Amino acid sequence: MGDVNDPFYLVKEEISDTVDKAQTTSERLARLPAGHGERGNLAASVATECESVLWQLEELDRATAMAEND
């Protein structure tokens, strides 16, 4: 594993945590019966977490591209 102070590994851990949270929420959503009142909130939460992962990956991509140019 790389240097724990390296920003790449810090961001990687954040992304991993967000993916894990989205997966856990998605699994919980899948266990609920159709029409359950909590499904809408859980679905929105999964969507938000996925959007967060995309944003984090885009930021990581920009940061690595800038580092490559330096």
Side-chain angles (χ1 to χ4, degrees):
M1 180 165 191
D3 182 6
V4 294
N5 294 321
D6 186 329
F8 173 82
Y9 293 101
L10 296 173
V11 172
K12 180 182 175 192
E13 185 175 331
E14 286 179 24
I15 292 170
S16 180
D17 290 346
T18 305
V19 168
D20 290 345
K21 184 177 177 184
Q23 184 174 9
T24 300
T25 305
S26 178
E27 290 167 354
R28 185 173 168 205
L29 174 64
R31 288 190 301 267
L32 289 176
H36 191 281
E38 192 176 2
R39 288 183 65 86
N41 291 337
L42 290 175
S45 180
V46 170
T48 299
E49 295 300 329
C50 289
E51 289 170 5
S52 179
V53 169
L54 287 173
W55 179 83
Q56 290 170 323
L57 289 172
E58 289 167 357
E59 290 298 308
L60 181 59
D61 187 48
R62 277 194 280 276
T64 54
M66 287 175 35
E68 285 176 354
N69 290 333
D70 291 343

